[in-house]
Amino acid sequence: MTETTMTPADFYTEGVDLVDTKAPDVEISKMWETRKFQARLVNPANRRKLSVIIVGTGLAGGAAAATLGEAGYNVLNFCYQDSPRRAHSIAAQGGINAAKNYRNDGDSTYRLFYDTVKGGDYRARETNVYRLAEVSANIIDQCVAQGVPFAREYGGLLDTRSFGGVQVQRTFYARGQTGQQLLIGVYQQLERQVAAGTVKMHTRHEMVELIVVDGRARGIVTRNMVNGKVEAWTADAVVLATGGYGNVFFLSTNAMGCNVTATWRAHRKGAHFANPCYTQIHPTCIPVHGETQSKLTLMSESLRNDGRIWVPKRAEDCAKDPREIPEEDRDYYLERIYPSFGNLVPRDIASRQAKNMCDEGRGVGPAVRELDPDGNEKLVRRGVYLDFADAIERLGQSAVAGKYGNLFDMYQQITGENPYEVPMRIYPAVHYTMGGLWVDYDLQSSITGMYVCGEANFSDHGANRLGASALMQGLADGYFVLPNTINDYLADAPFEKLADDHPDVVEAVTSAKARIDKLLSIQGTRSVDSFHKELGHIMWEYCGMERTEAGLIKAIGLIRELKEEYWSNVRVTGVNEDFNQALERAGRVADFFELGELMCIDALHRRESCGGHFRAESQTQDGEALRHDDEFLYVGAWEWGGEGSKPILHREPLNYKAIELKQRSYK
């Protein structure tokens, strides 16, 4: 069977439907309180006998470890960084959402819930989203009590600002350093429990395998990244809080170390992977500047509060100094197309329109060479302007610097251009991943005893995440949700202690070591990064901002060919028994190949446009995303089918009872 004759159904097999049985059958506003009461408790004396492994030390993992440690459980906390403070949560800039209604502008728990479901293009599970909105206010109180230095207004109240996809100001912030300040708050609580002895921290340890015994998650296998030692760790439950998988695209706003290995190893052991094709393209990123670039830099969405986005009306003006282009020759296209929301439309819409402007030939910045779908080379300018001239005139430069100064400094250091004098140039880039491991209302995966928090799960954002909601979900899961649900599972513990020679423990360790040995033994001619870069190009070209059936089928074939070459021609230098970053990357890229193929299969089977998933075959007359609720109103949860076998698609129907299902409009 050739690529031209294959259909989407040829790439997967059908499984049974999924149902989330943990959400109580009550009114949505009473659901979380009901579930907390129904969940069994573990008395304090018994908690001291139980152990929990938590992988990840960002906002979700660090908060969960600190909270469970405070509750009296024995926590083993792992991260691959040299300190919990280097978790990627630190990179978040703009803010954190909460339904406090400090501005008295009509905000409420229900409005935050509604905005989040709508922003996700009605592809999120509404029960989880309502809970997220409900606990959001508690997060702010918790962080203030920890001393997080949120911005304050003149009267002393916490200040807020707007973010995309909403018409209220509910985003709390600490200049452009919100993630860093929140992570420091988490880190303080985490270190308190380390000092108390309830949390044992293991830095520079990367999870490379999951241990499953009799259908239960009972531990992990790690590789010590300093000396190469591979060892098993066991506990009564396992929590993954390992972030997203945006680096499958090679170029993204993620830290270079961000990867999918922990969740992918769990997927291969039975954890369903939900909606993998749902990736977020962030509209305000510094454009790619060269072939040797290995990372992209995000400019916070908060800049869209006061910055105006535009391109020249005429293509012949695109090479001009923007200060020489008069007002009447500028197209403030978001304000023109979406007058109700303007520059604060959701990220997926802002990103797609930026691409449209550049595809029309009205992009700005240096011209770069690209190949069109027919393989012909063309010159395209990939950038639009984010202009603060009006804000500086209205507020004064010092006021703008007070809000965004560190972001302006960062932009100038990277580009050599002064954004107080010349508009910033921005272009969309891969940022967040809405897909992740499937979890139920309790955050438990399809593997009993394994829980998943934060960006590593799929549950709260649908097909597009609203800005400032990532920090909200991470802290909600870690501080308030997981500690109130995992106890229901741990009420049946302690489970049988596992010896090092238990067959399932031995199998996991042996499998991890064999994989490492295989990667080191190939000794081919190509570097790991060269494979990763080629994979990223395939993913961006065919499974990025715009996707087609023919393109996705082609991408699957290209990924399979590249993966086959990888396992026969990659060259991993060095040895295992040492600090070896080439080996670290090799294992991660191997998992990215398998994930990338599944992402393309997921995108191929979902023949609709929704949120950040834009199928060219499914759009309205004016180019907006067109959903097909009669066919695709479900979560696509994929089961590992086995080596060389097709993945298995399980559908979890989405039932909207509290919100009316309708096509999105931000006009």
Side-chain angles (χ1 to χ4, degrees):
M1 188 178 295
T2 64
E3 287 182 6
T4 55
T5 61
M6 297 185 81
T7 66
D10 293 322
F11 291 94
Y12 64 92
T13 57
E14 292 284 351
V16 298
D17 282 359
L18 295 176
V19 179
D20 175 20
T21 60
K22 299 290 181 61
D25 186 17
V26 296
E27 183 182 332
I28 198 166
S29 62
K30 300 176 181 177
M31 193 171 289
W32 180 226
E33 286 300 322
T34 302
R35 179 59 188 143
K36 285 192 291 184
F37 179 75
Q38 290 176 347
R40 294 171 295 169
L41 301 177
V42 180
N43 82 59
N46 287 344
R47 293 176 207 158
R48 294 192 291 270
K49 305 172 186 175
L50 306 179
S51 57
V52 179
I53 287 173
I54 298 179
V55 186
T57 59
L59 293 185
T67 307
L68 293 178
E70 178 74 35
Y73 293 105
N74 297 296
V75 178
L76 302 176
N77 201 186
F78 295 84
C79 68
Y80 65 75
Q81 297 92 346
D82 56 6
S83 165
R85 280 190 58 183
R86 293 178 66 87
H88 190 53
S89 299
I90 201 170
Q93 299 167 342
I96 177 171
N97 289 329
K100 283 285 200 181
N101 196 29
Y102 281 177
R103 293 277 184 170
N104 195 28
D105 56 0
D107 201 9
S108 64
T109 295
Y110 187 87
R111 190 177 296 278
L112 174 53
F113 161 56
Y114 173 81
D115 287 343
T116 304
V117 172
K118 178 184 176 183
D121 216 352
Y122 302 91
R123 290 296 179 263
R125 185 195 286 155
E126 71 170 14
T127 54
N128 289 62
V129 179
Y130 190 91
R131 176 176 63 193
L132 177 65
E134 187 178 350
V135 304
S136 66
N138 298 339
I139 298 170
I140 303 303
D141 295 339
Q142 172 99 347
C143 293
V144 170
Q146 292 171 354
V148 173
F150 287 119
R152 294 182 181 267
E153 58 185 14
Y154 179 77
L157 291 176
L158 298 185
D159 198 12
T160 55
R161 56 190 178 199
S162 298
F163 257 64
V166 304
Q167 292 177 307
V168 297
Q169 292 181 268
R170 66 162 67 101
T171 304
F172 296 79
Y173 65 98
R175 295 187 74 189
Q177 308 168 354
T178 313
Q180 178 179 356
Q181 299 303 328
L182 292 173
L183 187 62
I184 290 172
V186 167
Y187 176 71
Q188 291 174 157
Q189 307 312 308
L190 184 57
E191 287 302 300
R192 179 173 180 269
Q193 296 309 313
V194 170
T198 62
V199 175
K200 290 183 172 59
M201 181 60 60
H202 298 275
T203 60
R204 306 300 291 163
H205 282 68
E206 181 164 30
M207 174 182 161
V208 291
E209 193 56 87
L210 180 73
I211 298 171
V212 179
V213 179
D214 296 330
R216 295 179 184 267
R218 291 298 312 275
I220 63 172
V221 177
T222 63
R223 177 182 178 271
N224 185 311
M225 296 164 66
V226 177
N227 59 27
K229 183 179 181 182
V230 176
E231 54 192 323
W233 309 83
T234 58
D236 294 298
V238 175
V239 179
L240 300 187
T242 51
Y245 49 86
N247 275 351
V248 68
F249 290 88
F250 186 70
L251 285 179
S252 80
T253 66
N254 290 189
M256 292 291 289
C258 293
N259 63 86
V260 76
T261 288
T263 50
W264 194 256
R265 295 289 100 193
H267 172 61
R268 288 175 62 106
K269 283 292 183 74
H272 297 341
F273 211 113
N275 299 336
C277 78
Y278 285 165
T279 55
Q280 179 162 84
I281 312 297
H282 198 294
T284 53
C285 179
I286 297 177
V288 177
H289 62 70
E291 286 294 316
T292 60
Q293 194 167 352
S294 58
K295 187 190 181 305
L296 298 175
T297 302
L298 177 70
M299 300 305 297
S300 170
E301 183 178 320
S302 64
L303 295 169
R304 291 199 278 152
N305 272 269
D306 292 303
R308 300 180 70 193
I309 296 172
W310 63 276
V311 293
K313 289 182 178 178
R314 299 191 302 266
E316 54 265 32
D317 289 341
C318 291
K320 289 183 178 179
D321 186 318
R323 293 167 293 187
E324 297 177 358
I325 302 175
E327 192 73 16
E328 61 269 19
D329 291 335
R330 302 179 179 189
D331 181 10
Y332 296 91
Y333 57 90
L334 291 178
E335 298 172 32
R336 170 174 57 84
I337 301 172
Y338 307 100
S340 293
F341 283 75
N343 295 299
L344 289 171
V345 292
R347 291 174 174 178
D348 59 315
I349 290 175
S351 295
R352 196 154 52 247
Q353 289 298 350
K355 179 180 183 296
N356 290 342
M357 296 302 114
C358 296
D359 288 346
E360 289 178 11
R362 295 195 287 138
V364 300
V368 295
R369 298 184 185 278
E370 289 185 1
L371 295 178
D372 65 21
D374 297 322
N376 301 314
E377 192 175 85
K378 59 179 180 178
L379 287 175
V380 182
R381 299 180 191 274
R382 291 294 178 191
V384 300
Y385 289 126
L386 177 59
D387 196 338
F388 274 80
D390 286 357
I392 291 171
E393 182 178 350
R394 184 178 75 253
L395 303 171
Q397 183 169 319
S398 61
V400 171
K403 284 184 173 182
Y404 312 110
N406 62 308
L407 299 172
F408 277 53
D409 293 343
M410 182 173 69
Y411 182 87
Q412 184 167 4
Q413 289 169 6
I414 292 171
T415 66
E417 300 172 359
N418 185 346
Y420 293 107
E421 299 175 358
V422 184
M424 295 182 185
R425 283 183 295 109
I426 58 170
Y427 192 70
V430 172
H431 179 52
Y432 186 92
T433 52
M434 285 78 66
L437 293 185
W438 183 89
V439 292
D440 62 18
Y441 190 69
D442 281 2
L443 303 185
Q444 186 171 216
S445 72
S446 51
I447 299 177
T448 303
M450 192 185 83
Y451 292 74
V452 190
C453 294
E455 190 179 358
N457 75 37
F458 87 100
S459 63
D460 290 12
H461 305 296
N464 173 64
R465 178 176 66 79
L466 292 183
S469 288
L471 305 185
M472 176 174 62
Q473 186 202 353
L475 291 179
D477 285 357
Y479 278 140
F480 299 106
V481 179
L482 181 78
N484 281 295
T485 58
I486 196 171
N487 50 299
D488 186 65
Y489 174 74
L490 291 173
D492 291 327
F495 304 110
E496 175 191 0
K497 296 295 182 185
L498 299 178
D500 291 343
D501 61 354
H502 187 284
D504 292 313
V505 176
V506 172
E507 182 276 329
V509 173
T510 302
S511 174
K513 288 181 176 179
R515 193 162 178 262
I516 292 169
D517 292 341
K518 171 65 174 174
L519 288 167
L520 287 168
S521 71
I522 296 170
Q523 292 297 298
T525 62
R526 288 187 61 179
S527 69
V528 174
D529 285 350
S530 73
F531 280 101
H532 191 185
K533 190 172 185 178
E534 187 172 344
L535 172 64
H537 178 77
I538 295 169
M539 294 300 298
W540 178 252
E541 188 70 24
Y542 300 108
C543 196
M545 293 183 68
E546 185 173 305
R547 308 152 186 196
T548 65
E549 180 172 309
L552 289 164
I553 291 175
K554 181 178 180 180
I556 295 167
L558 291 173
I559 292 170
R560 288 175 175 175
E561 291 174 5
L562 192 62
K563 175 187 172 185
E564 185 177 351
E565 183 186 354
Y566 184 81
W567 284 104
S568 63
N569 195 33
V570 71
R571 183 174 183 83
V572 182
T573 56
V575 297
N576 180 39
E577 295 77 17
D578 200 355
F579 178 71
N580 188 342
Q581 290 187 305
L583 178 59
E584 295 165 18
R585 290 195 296 270
R588 297 166 187 170
V589 173
D591 289 328
F592 278 143
F593 277 118
E594 295 179 357
L595 168 69
E597 182 178 331
L598 183 63
M599 289 172 66
C600 291
I601 292 173
D602 186 39
L604 180 63
H605 106 276
R606 191 173 283 275
R607 300 181 307 277
E608 67 167 352
S609 294
C610 53
H613 170 89
F614 192 77
R615 282 288 290 267
E617 305 95 333
S618 182
Q619 54 184 300
T620 63
Q621 288 186 341
D622 53 356
E624 301 290 352
L626 179 62
R627 297 195 322 266
H628 298 292
D629 296 334
D630 55 332
E631 297 181 73
F632 299 104
L633 190 60
Y634 60 79
V635 175
W638 297 89
E639 179 184 353
W640 175 253
E643 201 74 54
S645 299
K646 298 177 184 179
I648 303 162
L649 174 61
H650 301 276
R651 295 174 171 85
E652 180 200 339
L654 291 170
N655 300 306
Y656 289 100
K657 300 178 181 178
I659 285 182
E660 179 187 357
L661 190 66
K662 56 187 177 183
Q663 289 291 333
R664 284 195 309 174
S665 175
Y666 290 93
K667 296 181 178 182

